[in-house]
Amino acid sequence: MNAHRDLPPSLTRCPWLSGADSDVVACSGQTMRTRGELREAIRAWASLSLPEDRDVALYDSDPWRFTATLLGLWHAGRRVWLPGDNLPETVDHLRRRHLILLGELPEAPPAPPPATGFTLASTLSPDHNAVVLFTSGSSGEPTPIFRTLGQLESEVAAFERHWPLGKGVVISQVSHQHTWGLTAGLLRALATSHPFGLSIVTWPETLAEWLMKMPVSALISSPPQLSRLPGAAIGMPDHGPGRLFSAAAPLDHDAAVQAERLMGSELTEIYGSSESGAIAWRRPSQDTTWQALDDVRLRCDGERTLLRSNRLPDPEQWHEQADHIHLLQTHPPRFTLHGRADRIVKVGGKRVSLEGLAHYIEAFPGVLAARCLTIDHSGGRIGAVIAMAREGIARDHDTRRALISALRQHLADAFEPVVLPRFWRFVETLPVNAQGKLTHTMARHLFDDLDDRRQPRWLDIESPTPDQRRITLEIPERLAALKGHFPERPIVPGIALIHWARQQAERLFGARGQWRDMRRVRFPAPLLPGDRAVMTLTRQHDALNVSVTSHRGQHLQLRLLSVASATDDPRESS
Amino acid sequence: MANTELTELERDVANMIIEALELEDITADDIEPDAPLFGDGLGLDSIDALELGLALQKRYGIRLDSDAEENREHFASLRQLSALVAERRSD
């Protein structure tokens, strides 16, 4: 069934056309598709007449339909734009470029009828402008990346030289609308005459089932899937995929070890980018350093990383790469990776510009300024710090939910769900350091409650006088002190408020243990989960007055005596 | 708003969702039992779906089906997910 097994992998020789009609070219746990069917579908698309003066855009989540359409369009000499999603903002962008929309894009025509008599060219040119992929630029506006068939082929060929595939299906867990899923998951299978999977296998349970039913030559995956594999309980068969590949974001060591153990296969991680294609590889279960692929050259020029590769527009030129690296050895290049020079991050394998996201938030009514950062919780989700006028900021659970929901709605037109901020912190002014900058560390402190469930969210701090501090706080719904207090109607226990007041006094006035004896303690109104309140600390020469207030009224009134004066005036006891 | 419609199991599953996904601003009472968990409702996404699969296994010893369509149905709402837990729990 694999006529081209002995030839080097190729896209230009169109291996999908040669071989028996009955060869299996794609399958799932249930169905199989043959070369005859694929050829017919390609012919239909290739024969379709489309306006000559416009390019086409294709978004189709179904690998079979996507493959038939893409190959058909290639045979028709077309360049195909591949958007990463089909969100309204993306569709607008494609329309602004006057592209013909195909697949699961609005108003796309149905699949064309069979064109039995139509003859397909048996080879394609390596210079054929095959695809246009998108990457998010630093402004957040997607930037197109152009790839010839030769560039795509060079990547597939490099993979095959380094890790030749054995028998079996190539299963993918990542979308073919992005460069990694396209080349590793789909084109590599087509170029080496291996069957590809008829669907993107998202669930580990489905993966286990497919592995049970058929030999699998490679599993093309990425960290979101690999770091969420359940333990042995899902019944992975003894024979895992021949090879296991991950890319699109760094995979951590533990997840790599776990994935190798569960699947019984070696896991190779590929480092690359949409702009440069595949660059280097490592075994994340064993190495932290990367080794360049055999057709890639790398060097450093001061801070800059320079790269030459057949995947780049001009293989003879040095191109600048956005990531900082540290070269350990030149031949072959080995290096460590030190993050991007710009602020593009990946969440769940999706690239997003933190600046782009923040700018979009700033367009929301009432927002004065916004910053976004990744938070190492819940799989590296994004947190947003948003400055708003006091009137605009939510003051309790319901208004906060409504505000966040409106912000998410606003962002959902332009960003995929996984990159939408999961954690939100609202302040009246962004905290800044002595240079007037909001540093990452300062921004991250606004999310400290995620690391310590005993703490509220500490937000704005004002110093109206040298002896007074006004600290805005919010009660997280998952605050530890709310547990069991009381099950039907949780409120913040008074003792927690007093504890926080002491901690803040020590933090802001730097007098550890000085405030000890309590006087005139009052808890007039309960503080509820989601409430936003202000804690005012006023220092006097022998005492500290504490007050916590919100729109509901006063929640705590307290006078703390300094140790030296604690016994001075017994009449103050309440 | 207190949602009195939640059964004890639904509340338990709702809390599992909130804990597993580290959802802020949402309490069990905010989750309408019949509202969609993904997309427009609670706004969960594909990564959350994988996290929930893991949480179900840890919390209730439940193995999901290999059929993606069926999983989509189980995850349609809190009520559907709770029904799955009631039917298959082995903890």
Side-chain angles (χ1 to χ4, degrees), chain A residues 2 10-11 15-16 25 156 160 165 168-171 182-197 217 220:
Chain A
N2 296 307
S10 172
L11 296 172
W16 46 87
V25 291
V156 167
E160 193 65 15
L165 291 184
V169 186
V170 175
I171 297 183
L182 178 69
T183 55
L186 208 51
L187 297 183
R188 186 175 181 193
L190 290 166
T192 57
S193 296
H194 281 79
F196 60 90
S217 53
I220 307 306

Side-chain angles (χ1 to χ4, degrees), chain A residues 256-442:
Chain A
V257 170
Q258 156 91 343
E260 288 196 339
R261 203 185 57 227
L262 205 61
M263 308 262 193
S265 324
E266 273 190 19
L267 191 156
T268 305
E269 186 178 10
I270 307 287
Y271 159 65
S273 68
S274 306
E275 294 89 343
S276 317
I279 297 170
W281 65 276
R282 66 173 177 179
R283 284 275 309 277
S285 61
Q286 299 176 350
D287 304 325
T288 50
T289 61
W290 298 89
Q291 185 169 332
L293 292 169
D294 61 4
D295 58 353
V296 168
R297 291 171 65 194
L298 270 172
R299 69 182 173 88
C300 288
D301 176 13
E303 285 278 282
R304 303 195 311 152
T305 303
L306 300 171
L307 176 77
R308 275 166 77 159
S309 146
N310 292 332
R311 263 77 77 195
L312 288 164
D314 184 351
E316 304 306 314
Q317 286 289 323
W318 290 98
H319 293 259
E320 189 163 350
Q321 172 70 8
D323 290 309
H324 289 310
I325 66 166
H326 176 60
L327 265 187
L328 303 168
Q329 154 190 325
T330 332
H331 297 294
R334 285 193 83 89
F335 60 92
T336 50
L337 203 49
H338 298 278
R340 285 184 72 95
D342 54 21
R343 301 217 310 139
I344 306 276
V345 298
K346 281 189 171 160
V347 186
K350 307 279 183 204
R351 263 166 71 134
V352 66
S353 150
L354 293 175
E355 255 97 32
L357 201 55
H359 282 148
Y360 212 89
I361 292 173
E362 284 169 355
F364 186 81
V367 173
L368 305 171
R371 290 282 195 291
C372 292
L373 60 158
T374 48
I375 306 288
D376 45 3
H377 271 264
S378 197
R381 297 282 185 156
I382 290 175
V385 179
I386 298 180
M388 290 181 100
R390 184 173 299 176
E391 313 81 73
I393 299 181
R395 56 189 199 179
D396 59 16
H397 175 78
D398 289 340
T399 50
R400 187 170 145 90
R401 272 204 77 197
L403 176 60
I404 291 171
S405 161
L407 279 160
R408 286 180 63 96
Q409 287 283 318
H410 168 71
L411 290 171
D413 283 345
F415 297 91
E416 298 202 51
V418 293
V419 307
L420 299 188
R422 170 139 296 174
F423 309 109
W424 304 81
R425 297 294 176 268
F426 299 94
V427 291
E428 286 168 44
T429 47
L430 294 182
V432 291
N433 66 7
Q435 287 75 46
K437 285 202 167 130
L438 169 59
T439 64
H440 181 270
T441 315
M442 295 170 75

Side-chain angles (χ1 to χ4, degrees), chain A residues 13-93:
Chain A
R13 279 198 319 273
C14 310
W16 46 87
L17 295 181
S18 42
D21 268 352
S22 58
D23 288 352
V24 174
V25 291
C27 51
S28 72
Q30 282 81 36
T31 25
M32 289 183 187
R33 294 298 191 99
T34 64
R35 188 179 309 283
E37 290 175 90
L38 182 62
R39 260 199 295 242
E40 184 173 318
I42 293 172
R43 250 200 303 266
W45 279 106
S47 69
L48 183 69
S49 104
L50 293 167
E52 283 297 327
D53 55 343
R54 289 165 67 198
D55 266 3
V56 290
L58 170 64
Y59 179 89
D60 200 323
S61 59
D62 178 80
W64 176 262
R65 288 196 310 254
F66 174 88
T67 303
T69 314
L70 180 72
L71 297 182
L73 292 166
W74 282 355
H75 279 279
R78 289 283 182 167
R79 174 167 81 178
V80 187
W81 294 63
L82 302 176
D85 58 63
N86 57 356
L87 292 171
E89 180 101 341
T90 306
V91 171
D92 284 350
H93 180 96

Side-chain angles (χ1 to χ4, degrees), chain B residues 51-65:
Chain B
E51 288 286 358
L52 282 188
L54 268 182
L56 282 170
Q57 199 202 320
K58 275 192 207 143
R59 176 78 178 79
Y60 301 108
I62 288 176
R63 236 186 92 173
L64 287 172
D65 302 305

Side-chain angles (χ1 to χ4, degrees), chain A residues 84-297:
Chain A
D85 58 63
N86 57 356
L87 292 171
E89 180 101 341
T90 306
V91 171
D92 284 350
H93 180 96
L94 300 173
R95 285 200 169 120
R96 281 199 299 278
R97 290 182 180 274
H98 300 290
L99 300 173
I100 302 164
L101 307 186
L102 296 179
E104 292 163 345
L105 293 168
E107 293 149 45
T116 333
F118 192 84
T119 311
L120 294 169
S122 60
T123 58
L124 296 170
S125 161
D127 298 327
H128 174 66
N129 286 313
V131 292
V132 185
L133 294 153
F134 286 100
T135 179
S136 51
S138 51
S139 67
E141 177 80 350
T143 312
I145 296 159
F146 300 85
R147 284 281 145 79
T148 64
L149 206 57
Q151 287 170 334
L152 294 172
E153 188 173 275
S154 90
E155 181 156 305
V156 167
F159 290 157
E160 193 65 15
R161 281 195 307 278
H162 282 267
W163 309 278
L165 291 184
K167 259 191 158 50
V169 186
V170 175
I171 297 183
S172 177
Q173 299 195 288
V174 290
S175 165
H176 45 248
Q177 299 286 143
H178 296 274
T179 183
W180 171 236
L182 178 69
T183 55
L186 208 51
L187 297 183
R188 186 175 181 193
L190 290 166
T192 57
S193 296
H194 281 79
F196 60 90
L198 278 171
S199 60
I200 306 290
V201 178
T202 331
W203 298 94
E205 289 79 3
T206 315
L207 179 61
E209 190 203 331
W210 286 35
L211 285 167
M212 213 73 101
K213 288 188 174 164
M214 58 184 107
V216 173
S217 53
L219 175 68
I220 307 306
S221 190
S222 70
Q225 290 79 27
L226 291 175
S227 57
R228 290 176 179 82
L229 289 172
I234 60 159
M236 281 288 173
D238 301 335
H239 50 279
R243 291 183 184 281
L244 198 48
F245 293 96
S246 177
L251 181 68
D252 71 52
H253 171 264
D254 292 351
V257 170
Q258 156 91 343
E260 288 196 339
R261 203 185 57 227
L262 205 61
M263 308 262 193
S265 324
E266 273 190 19
L267 191 156
T268 305
E269 186 178 10
I270 307 287
Y271 159 65
S273 68
S274 306
E275 294 89 343
S276 317
I279 297 170
W281 65 276
R282 66 173 177 179
R283 284 275 309 277
S285 61
Q286 299 176 350
D287 304 325
T288 50
T289 61
W290 298 89
Q291 185 169 332
L293 292 169
D294 61 4
D295 58 353
V296 168
R297 291 171 65 194

